[in-house]
Amino acid sequence: QVQLMESGGGSVQAGGSLRLSCEVTEYTYRGHYMAWFRQAPGKEREGVAGMDSDGFTSYADSVKGRFAISKDNSKNTLYLQMSVLKPEDSAMYYCAAARGLSVLPGSLAPSHLFAYWGQGTQVTVSS
């Protein structure tokens, strides 16, 4: 059973930075596609960044150049480094994992394809 736990959320002023972490209890890069999603009140959950088992990454257009997804094998942890934050980045951020998912380069997989989710961590950006 794959379990994920996010941390690192908080409140920051516009232009600031945060790093989100997602600790995975069962961690294997073989066949797992990992991603970050976010959901603001009244809005649908949207993909932010994804990484396949080979380390190839993809990003939503709204965060390209500002966010970076990465992983640390030794710590069983996925990260999302967020910089130049904007008020519209405010949302609950979720880490998700999907086994055996293949995604076209540069694309983000939709949320319904992910079986494993963390509980979320809140990010609030003030202007």
Side-chain angles (χ1 to χ4, degrees):
Q1 182 72 20
V2 177
Q3 294 183 350
L4 304 93
M5 180 171 292
E6 303 94 336
S7 62
S11 297
V12 64
Q13 289 190 330
S17 300
L18 282 173
R19 188 178 75 162
L20 306 183
S21 299
C22 174
E23 184 176 351
V24 187
T25 54
E26 176 195 322
Y27 204 51
T28 173
Y29 295 102
R30 188 184 302 276
H32 273 94
Y33 184 89
M34 303 293 296
W36 287 96
F37 288 80
R38 66 186 181 188
Q39 188 167 19
K43 295 187 177 181
E44 293 187 355
R45 189 169 297 189
E46 63 172 349
V48 175
M51 176 180 282
D52 68 16
S53 56
D54 294 322
F56 291 103
T57 60
S58 54
Y59 297 91
D61 288 342
S62 59
V63 306
K64 282 181 181 176
R66 300 189 298 121
F67 290 13
I69 187 171
S70 63
K71 58 188 178 182
D72 186 332
N73 291 0
S74 67
K75 297 181 179 180
N76 291 357
T77 302
L78 181 77
Y79 299 101
L80 183 69
Q81 177 67 49
M82 305 185 295
S83 304
V84 195
L85 282 161
K86 305 175 181 179
E88 52 263 43
D89 294 319
S90 297
M92 186 71 78
Y93 282 71
Y94 299 91
C95 173
R99 192 188 302 270
L101 181 61
S102 179
V103 179
L104 291 174
S107 300
L108 288 170
S111 59
H112 71 269
L113 296 180
F114 290 81
Y116 307 106
W117 291 86
Q119 83 290 348
T121 185
Q122 179 68 39
V123 172
T124 302
V125 184
S126 58
S127 58

